[in-house]
Amino acid sequence: MTKILIVEDEAGLVTLLKYNLEKHGYETAEVMDGKFVMQTVLSERPDLILMDWMLPNVSGVDLCREIRQHPEVKLTPIIMVTARADEADKVRGLSYGSDDYMTKPFSIPELIARIQALLRRVVVTPPVKVLKAGILTLDFDKKLVLKKNEPMHMGPTEFRLLSILMEKPEHVFSREELLKLVWGESVFVEARTVDVHIRRLRANLKDDKGELIRTVRSSGYAVKA
């Protein structure tokens, strides 16, 4: 059974989330204090994390970054759930490692739809096991990206995004194409989200100058062959 970890310090919201998630067939676990999150993630090994931003002791965004740096759980999908609705906060949350971002108050049906969409992206088994483009190698079985044989660390959304780009080296994917291929048609995600994840992908690949993933002005992005 798919397990979802609820990281939230509002007891009423935890109860609401647990009820609705379990009604949809998910197993749940919860933690309400930031300082206990990492040990809970490592012990429970959830399939997905719902992460509140404002937590006692350690913030949700710092926890996202810590999870992404831990080799055993770095690929765990994370949805940030927070009352912070400013665009700058959304960009920061995505940049620190969350795969999706929902603002409170939110509808339960939309949350379930986003969870299902994110889990589908994670479990899809591609027909090709290894992709190569220039100095990059992507191994689906090992969930590993190599740059000149050096392993690169990245979250599941960046991994999926890079795999799409590497399937067609030099092909320019528009933001709309990438939204459809990476996030799916059933979930609303802003086009700017693609730019945030491209920046995060470049940071993981140490590609600040765009030497591996090039930006084509007014068109989109392409990985170099």
Side-chain angles (χ1 to χ4, degrees):
M1 183 180 293
T2 301
K3 181 184 290 185
I4 297 178
L5 177 63
I6 302 167
V7 182
E8 172 61 59
D9 65 339
E10 293 182 38
L13 183 53
V14 171
T15 300
L16 176 67
L17 290 171
K18 279 178 59 67
Y19 171 78
N20 283 281
L21 290 171
E22 290 172 3
K23 186 172 73 170
H24 282 81
Y26 297 110
E27 182 183 354
T28 63
E30 68 274 353
V31 57
M32 301 178 71
D33 191 318
K35 68 181 179 181
F36 300 122
V37 169
M38 278 307 301
Q39 68 185 60
T40 305
V41 171
L42 291 170
S43 62
E44 294 287 345
R45 296 303 174 93
D47 298 289
L48 183 142
I49 301 170
L50 293 179
M51 179 79 73
D52 187 21
W53 184 309
M54 303 299 292
L55 293 165
N57 295 304
V58 185
S59 73
V61 288
D62 289 333
L63 288 165
C64 281
R65 183 164 54 183
E66 187 174 354
I67 290 168
R68 291 293 175 243
Q69 292 173 345
H70 199 292
E72 295 181 34
V73 293
K74 65 182 181 181
L75 295 179
T76 307
I78 301 172
I79 298 178
M80 184 77 73
V81 182
T82 174
R84 304 177 72 131
D86 291 344
E87 183 180 22
D89 289 328
K90 291 182 181 180
V91 171
R92 184 181 173 200
L94 292 168
S95 298
Y96 274 49
S98 67
D99 297 286
D100 202 352
Y101 192 106
M102 294 193 68
T103 54
K104 301 175 184 177
F106 55 84
S107 74
I108 294 297
E110 182 183 359
L111 176 63
I112 297 297
R114 289 185 181 232
I115 288 172
Q116 291 171 342
L118 186 51
L119 289 173
R120 280 197 301 271
R121 300 207 305 270
V122 173
V123 301
V124 167
T125 303
V128 179
K129 293 186 177 182
V130 176
L131 292 174
K132 296 194 177 195
I135 60 174
L136 297 177
T137 301
L138 187 147
D139 188 316
F140 286 104
D141 286 343
K142 297 179 181 178
K143 293 292 187 289
L144 183 65
V145 175
L146 300 174
K147 175 186 172 186
K148 291 184 177 179
N149 296 320
E150 178 186 354
M152 301 282 103
H153 301 295
M154 61 187 63
T157 299
E158 282 68 47
F159 186 90
R160 173 68 174 158
L161 179 57
L162 182 61
S163 72
I164 295 296
L165 293 170
M166 288 181 63
E167 283 176 0
K168 295 182 179 180
E170 299 296 347
H171 175 80
V172 179
F173 289 87
S174 69
R175 290 173 178 81
E176 291 72 23
E177 285 182 292
L178 292 172
L179 282 173
K180 179 180 177 181
L181 292 168
V182 179
W183 282 266
E185 295 185 79
S186 61
V187 176
F188 173 76
V189 181
E190 298 174 0
R192 183 177 173 82
T193 300
V194 174
D195 300 330
V196 174
H197 282 284
I198 287 288
R199 284 203 302 270
R200 205 163 85 190
L201 179 56
R202 281 174 169 158
N204 290 338
L205 293 172
K206 300 175 183 176
D207 181 36
D208 294 337
K209 297 181 180 179
E211 296 173 350
L212 302 176
I213 300 172
R214 62 189 180 94
T215 301
V216 180
R217 188 180 296 274
S218 302
S219 297
Y221 299 100
V223 68
K224 294 188 178 181

